[in-house]
């Protein structure tokens, strides 16, 4: 073997070693959040004892199941209806039926890291638009939804000072996000701080682009008008959770209490940064239900019923919609969560 071949072999060996050494870290990043979430749920089940949990699940009222399935479907249907005007305002031309179908299709990977942006990638594929335009619409939609889900928890928190403090803290946090996005001086101060962090410094340009698009959407009158659809979504999710508790522990939780528990658990799941809020939602939900007198086994069962009704059925609906969308729009066979924020709009034929 000559010197060139030797160097090539050494370089290949070095590349292979680096690839092998980085593989465990990639596996940890990919599967770690799921293992942690399953660990939290497993610990709750062990603490409650499997026998008591089995007894709680056997008490589940099966007549509630079809209603939960219908409410889950209506939630994602309204999410697509709410999303389409935001896409139109961002310059993405898409009819209502297509927006609803692609919104459903994005739920197929809703429990994967970054899965909440899958519908943005699908829209960019079908409409030949930039992913960033759709990302801004999802950001606005989720901000408004978080604000409304926190607001609906206020009536239930008035009788419990500890819970009221958590709701107030959530409202302050959401208001802070709005302040950073809409006030240029505050945003510049935040970006200066982020600029001192090596990892965050690379994304300051993308964040600035997202901020401009987000502010443009937030200052439109129709964004506020279409938020009535988000109000309906909030009421649907709270009703789903209340029914899930009623199915395993009838009469243990009032509707305002259900709104309070779900809102805090939902926000906790969002802050946990785990895919779909797995683990964080269940832990906080069970703790809140215990505080309202729901038995541990029933509290765990209710949180899991809510999870299956929401993300579980959403994944099923999304998979069916994705198969339809892939055939109808000849979507490429690749991961929907592959980020392509640098993609530009296709040139107009001359």
């Amino acid at each position: 073997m000559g010197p060139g071949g030797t160097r090539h072999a050494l370089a290949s060996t070095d590349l292979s070693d680096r690839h092998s050494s980085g593989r465990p870290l990639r596996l940890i990043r990919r599967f770690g959040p799921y293992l942690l979430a399953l660990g939290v749920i497993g610990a709750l089940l062990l603490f409650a004892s499997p026998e008591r949990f089995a007894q709680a699940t056997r008490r589940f009222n099966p007549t509630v199941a079809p209603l939960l399935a219908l409410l889950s479907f209506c939630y994602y249907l309204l999410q697509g209806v709410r999303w389409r005007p935001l896409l139109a305002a961002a310059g993405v031309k898409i009819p209502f039926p297509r927006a609803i179908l692609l919104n459903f299709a994005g739920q197929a990977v809703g429990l994967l890291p970054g899965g909440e942006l899958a519908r943005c990638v699908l829209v960019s594929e079908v409409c030949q638009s930039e992913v960033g335009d759709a990302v801004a619409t999802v950001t606005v939609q989720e901000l408004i939804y978080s604000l409304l889900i926190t607001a609906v928890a206020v009536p239930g928190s008035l009788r419990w000072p500890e819970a009221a403090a958590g709701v107030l803290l959530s409202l302050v946090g959401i208001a802070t996000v709005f302040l950073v996005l809409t006030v240029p001086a505050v945003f510049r101060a935040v970006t200066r701080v982020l600029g001192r962090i090596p990892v965050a410094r690379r994304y300051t340009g993308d964040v600035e682009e997202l901020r401009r698009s987000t502010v443009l959407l937030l200052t439109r009158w129709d964004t506020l008008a279409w938020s009535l659809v988000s109000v309906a979504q909030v009421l649907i999710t709270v009703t789903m959770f209340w029914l899930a508790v009623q199915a395993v522990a009838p009469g243990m939780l009032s509707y305002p209490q259900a709104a309070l528990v779900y809102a805090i658990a939902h926000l906790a799941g969002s802050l946990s940064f785990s895919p779909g809020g797995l683990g964080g939602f269940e832990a906080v939900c069970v703790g809140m239900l215990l505080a309202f007198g729901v038995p541990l086994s029933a509290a765990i069962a209710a949180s899991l019923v809510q999870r299956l009704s929401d993300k579980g059925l959403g994944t099923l609906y999304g998979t069916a919609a994705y198969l339809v969308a892939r055939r109808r729009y000849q979507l490429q066979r690749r991961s929907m969560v592959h980020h392509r924020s640098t993609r530009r709009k296709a040139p107009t034929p001359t």
Side-chain angles (χ1 to χ4, degrees):
M1 179 183 295
T6 303
R7 286 195 298 271
H8 179 72
L10 290 175
S12 300
T13 303
D14 181 61
L15 182 62
S16 177
D17 290 342
R18 281 184 293 176
H19 180 75
S20 299
S21 62
R23 187 176 181 181
L25 183 59
R26 288 195 299 270
L27 290 175
I28 292 174
R29 289 177 178 176
R30 184 175 182 179
F31 297 106
Y34 297 102
L35 294 176
L36 181 60
L38 291 175
V40 171
I41 297 173
L44 290 172
L45 292 174
L46 289 175
F47 188 72
S49 87
E51 293 180 0
R52 291 183 179 178
F53 176 75
Q55 291 175 359
T57 56
R58 283 195 292 269
R59 288 195 298 268
F60 177 79
N61 183 0
T63 60
V64 176
L67 186 54
L68 289 174
L70 176 62
L71 289 173
S72 178
F73 182 86
C74 290
Y75 171 83
Y76 290 109
L77 174 66
L78 290 179
Q79 188 181 60
V81 171
R82 175 67 186 98
W83 191 32
R84 191 270 175 181
L86 290 171
L87 288 171
V92 181
K93 297 180 179 179
I94 183 172
F96 267 107
R98 188 176 302 175
I100 292 170
L101 176 63
L102 296 180
N103 182 76
F104 266 110
Q107 311 310 318
V109 292
L111 289 176
L112 294 181
E116 65 275 4
L117 299 180
R119 50 185 172 140
C120 302
V121 179
L122 291 174
V123 164
S124 74
E125 280 284 325
V126 174
C127 300
Q128 295 296 297
S129 62
E130 295 185 31
V131 175
D133 293 337
V135 170
T137 64
V138 171
T139 301
V140 171
Q141 189 173 13
E142 292 302 317
L143 275 175
I144 293 174
Y145 180 82
S146 297
L147 178 63
L148 292 173
I149 199 69
T150 305
V152 80
V154 171
S157 67
L158 296 179
R159 295 177 56 187
W160 294 275
E162 297 83 0
V167 172
L168 179 61
L169 185 62
S170 300
L171 288 173
V172 170
I174 297 171
T176 302
V177 173
F178 275 99
L179 187 68
V180 171
L181 288 174
T182 56
V183 180
V186 177
F187 179 78
R188 286 194 296 269
V190 172
T191 52
R192 281 197 296 269
V193 174
L194 293 176
R196 300 175 184 270
I197 304 174
V199 176
R201 190 183 304 142
R202 295 180 296 175
Y203 302 102
T204 53
D206 294 333
V207 172
E208 171 61 27
E209 180 82 18
L210 178 62
R211 187 196 74 86
R212 284 197 295 265
S213 301
T214 302
V215 170
L216 179 64
L217 292 173
L218 286 173
T219 53
R220 293 175 59 97
W221 69 268
D222 52 347
T223 298
L224 180 61
W226 278 96
S227 294
L228 292 175
V229 179
S230 298
V231 173
Q233 286 183 263
V234 168
L235 294 177
I236 286 174
T237 52
V238 172
T239 302
M240 285 175 59
F241 179 69
W242 180 74
L243 286 174
V245 178
Q246 291 295 108
V248 294
M252 294 294 295
L253 202 68
S254 67
Y255 195 88
Q257 291 172 340
L260 174 62
V261 173
Y262 179 80
I264 294 179
H266 171 79
L267 294 171
S270 301
L271 294 175
S272 68
F273 297 106
S274 63
L278 285 174
F281 174 88
E282 287 79 7
V284 175
C285 180
V286 170
M288 291 286 294
L289 289 175
L290 287 175
F292 284 109
V294 178
L296 178 58
S297 56
I300 298 173
S303 67
L304 294 181
V305 168
Q306 168 66 27
R307 177 63 72 182
L308 290 173
S309 302
D310 180 12
K311 295 299 182 183
L313 289 176
T315 302
L316 291 178
Y317 298 146
T319 301
Y322 176 69
L323 294 175
V324 173
R326 190 178 69 178
R327 182 176 181 180
R328 181 176 298 178
Y329 304 115
Q330 290 79 47
L331 298 174
Q332 299 180 18
R333 291 176 176 269
R334 61 180 180 79
S335 172
M336 287 191 293
V337 295
H338 179 61
H339 194 273
R340 300 185 304 138
S341 60
T342 58
R343 175 176 176 169
R344 298 299 174 187
K345 296 180 181 179
T348 304
T350 56

